[in-house]
Amino acid sequence: MPLLNFSPVVAGVWRMASWEWSVAERVRWIEQCLEAGVTTFDHADIYGGYTVEGLFGEALAAAPELKARVKLVTKCGIHLLNPSRPETWIKHYDSSGRHIAASVERSLKNLGVEQLDLLLLHRPDSLMEVDEVAQVFDALRAAGKVAAFGVSNFTPSQFALLYSQTPLVTNQIEWHPLHLAPLFDGTLDQAQQLRLRPMIWSPLAGGALFSSDGDAAHRVRRALGRIAGERGVSEATVAYAWLGRHPSHPVAITGTRRIEAIREAVAATEIVLTRQEWTEILVAGTGKDVP
Ligand SMILES: NC(=O)c1ccc[n+]([C@@H]2O[C@H](COP(=O)([O-])OP(=O)(O)OC[C@H]3O[C@@H](n4cnc5c(N)ncnc54)[C@H](OP(=O)(O)O)[C@@H]3O)[C@@H](O)[C@H]2O)c1
């Protein structure tokens, strides 16, 4: 059950501006991701203070043969306080048809492509007009500018509301052993019920899984380390395998710049944790045995 025609692991580029790479380094990184089996890249209009799509687009322009080989996800719906947006005086959300259409045009231009493979509404917007969103999605699909649509960070009822009016293919959510809410708040149940694979952001808690001094992180590291030792793989691979074991078939979005760390995510797609291994990591995250 593939998520569109995406790779089983997606590379996130939220942090790309901070990598301070040359165009040639960005091209090489994209090529190495492809060599590792990662074809799909997760963007948002706002990443890097509205700069990352352009950085990626520069790389694609320098190596245009890559355009046919990559799948591009991007997001819209957040207005950041940023010098390039002087009209914005408070950070806010905007799911108006006008904003979505304008943001898609900018993303296409920044990335230098004719079509986005997937567009997500980045955050739930309390002022969302469902019919207006459905209309603009239809128009963008009909114009060939966006192949498919989804959302990010939506609660199950917010998802159900929009899904009642327009097809959505995923909810991109935060989930890792230090953030367990999606297991218990209906988010992953809904994904299974609708047979829509969730995309998982910050699968390693943004690195906190390995760097945090908190008790839960210590417990999780111990569990990951034990299982990793037994299976002869890295702790990060076990962390990805823990997500991948869920029957909703989650698609992890890596955030690392290091290709060897991306390979650790890909390696997890070959591993099926036992129920007891899976529970050991869950229990490490919650700090208590299952009832
Ligand atoms: N939809 C949303 O609201 C939303 C929100 C946040 C993120 N996202 C998406 O999700 C992607 C991933 O988020 P994330 O960057 O927080 O993911 P992550 O994979 O949980 O964290 C990546 C960070 O952890 C560090 N790290 C430490 N140890 C690592 C290890 N063993 N393996 C890999 N990385 C390790 C990485 O540093 P190194 O580079 O040095 O490895 C990097 O800074 C983003 O790029 C973005 O596309 C979406």
Side-chain angles (χ1 to χ4, degrees), residues 12 14-15 42 47 152-153 172 201-202 204 206 255-258:
W14 172 31
R15 302 170 191 273
D42 184 69
Y47 285 173
S152 183
N153 304 303
Q172 184 178 121
W201 61 262
S202 292
L204 306 177
T256 180
R257 57 192 275 166
R258 294 174 297 115

Side-chain angles (χ1 to χ4, degrees), residues 10-16 19 41-44 47 75 78 120-123 151-153 172-174 176 200-211 234-237 240 253-258 260-262 264:
V10 170
V13 292
W14 172 31
R15 302 170 191 273
M16 184 178 251
W19 301 341
F41 296 86
D42 184 69
H43 284 266
Y47 285 173
K75 316 184 192 79
I78 301 178
L120 308 178
L121 292 183
H122 205 152
R123 292 265 166 194
V151 296
S152 183
N153 304 303
Q172 184 178 121
I173 54 162
E174 180 184 14
H176 47 75
I200 310 301
W201 61 262
S202 292
L204 306 177
L209 224 46
F210 301 115
S211 61
S234 76
E235 295 176 9
T237 295
Y240 289 112
I253 312 171
T254 60
T256 180
R257 57 192 275 166
R258 294 174 297 115
E260 63 273 21
I262 288 178
E264 291 179 318

